[in-house]
Amino acid sequence: MSEAILLQAKPLTQENFAAFGDVIEAGMSEPIMINEGTTERFHALSEVQLGSAEDKAIISIFRAQPRSFPMSIQMLERHPLGSQSFHPLSQEPYLVLVADAVEQPSAEHLHLFLATAQQGVNYHKGTWHHPLLALNAVSDFLVVDRAGKGHNCEEITLNQDIEIPLDYLIQGEGSST
Amino acid sequence: MSEAILLQAKPLTQENFAAFGDVIEAGMSEPIMINEGTTERFHALSEVQLGSAEDKAIISIFRAQPRSFPMSIQMLERHPLGSQSFHPLSQEPYLVLVADAVEQPSAEHLHLFLATAQQGVNYHKGTWHHPLLALNAVSDFLVVDRAGKGHNCEEITLNQDIEIPLDYLIQGEGSST
């Protein structure tokens, strides 16, 4: 075994993700009844952030290959000019890896979450995050992000030996990395 | 049997829906490879339309009860200040009912489509459409639409006896209403 720093995931909640973005999930708030009572609207679970009045919000689909574990974590990226949301379409859970808002994140700034197949995330403008970490199967995600002029993707290389282990979920309460 | 005008659905395609909005579906265009080859990005399948620079694009979840058929169609609505997209999250097909851009649509202006569980739609600004028509089961949809000042929902009552029959899909080519 290497002496890699191991990351372990917590279940994703609105509260533990609030510093990084929004969790997009039905049933966490009171819905509005619409369409003559046939539809519940869980309204404005998140907002698309843009950089300027000329920017557009666009809708794309990302098709992600599942990752293999243990997995070495080498880099993060951030989008300074807009938010970026991911919503799972393939009934598969996935991992969400983000970092605190520092210029050069190191292991102690990283936060790994396990999202259920019913939970989307919207990274706030500028939130450091790892590219999609699909699990189990090829997984599609509906992505809402920003299109427009200017450079909207910054990448950073991590300077430590950091790994998501095979058993990436913290088992039970009180466990730690 | 009543003498209702019966609507029958065609399978939804980019081409037959183009006058009303976009179909949001992976695999219909060449993807861009991103994330070091681990992800295919089907880029900008649709764009969120807003009414003014102060408007926001928001992300909501709609939870729709399944409809019963035959179903009487009484009304349509449109959103003059923004697009509205629906993406199925529950692995269920659904119906999409839209009308041509006239002030008082009648039966000959209506177009009914059967969307697969892998197809989202984005109604262009101002497109007449019926509220969600879920099939089979309670169905969640990710919705991206516009929030802001001003009145963004117009409704119209249809003046004819119009019905979606129990067997709403046109069987095979060459069938008609």
Side-chain angles (χ1 to χ4, degrees), chain B residues 108-173:
Chain B
E108 76 263 27
H109 300 112
L110 299 182
H111 304 270
L112 185 63
F113 300 98
L114 179 63
T116 72
Q118 282 72 47
Q119 291 179 314
V121 291
N122 191 16
Y123 299 124
H124 288 160
K125 203 187 282 193
T127 294
W128 287 119
H129 60 279
H130 193 277
L132 271 172
L133 295 168
L135 303 172
N136 306 327
V138 174
S139 299
D140 285 358
F141 293 82
L142 195 74
V143 175
V144 183
D145 62 3
R146 173 258 183 206
K149 291 183 182 169
H151 186 62
N152 191 28
C153 192
E154 297 172 3
E155 287 189 15
I156 201 165
T157 302
L158 298 172
N159 297 326
Q160 294 163 293
D161 185 10
I162 300 172
E163 211 173 82
I164 301 177
L166 190 61
D167 182 10
Y168 43 75
L169 185 64
I170 294 172
Q171 299 297 324
E173 291 180 6

Side-chain angles (χ1 to χ4, degrees), chain A residues 3-64:
Chain A
E3 297 189 28
I5 302 164
L6 301 182
L7 301 177
Q8 283 180 297
K10 287 179 280 199
L12 180 69
T13 68
Q14 294 273 2
E15 293 68 29
N16 65 20
F17 196 66
F20 312 106
D22 297 315
V23 177
I24 300 168
E25 183 176 13
M28 306 299 286
S29 56
E30 276 299 304
I32 305 164
M33 292 304 296
I34 60 170
N35 298 346
E36 299 186 313
T38 63
T39 303
E40 296 170 278
R41 180 176 179 133
F42 298 92
H43 181 65
L45 299 173
S46 195
E47 184 179 301
V48 181
Q49 299 173 326
L50 302 175
S52 78
E54 288 74 44
D55 288 352
K56 301 286 183 188
I58 57 170
I59 304 173
S60 303
I61 294 177
F62 284 19
R63 177 163 289 171

Side-chain angles (χ1 to χ4, degrees), chain A residues 88-94 115-119 134-139 141:
Chain A
L89 300 178
S90 298
Q91 307 291 314
E92 291 288 349
Y94 61 105
T116 72
Q118 282 71 48
Q119 291 180 315
L135 303 172
N136 305 327
V138 174
S139 301
F141 294 81

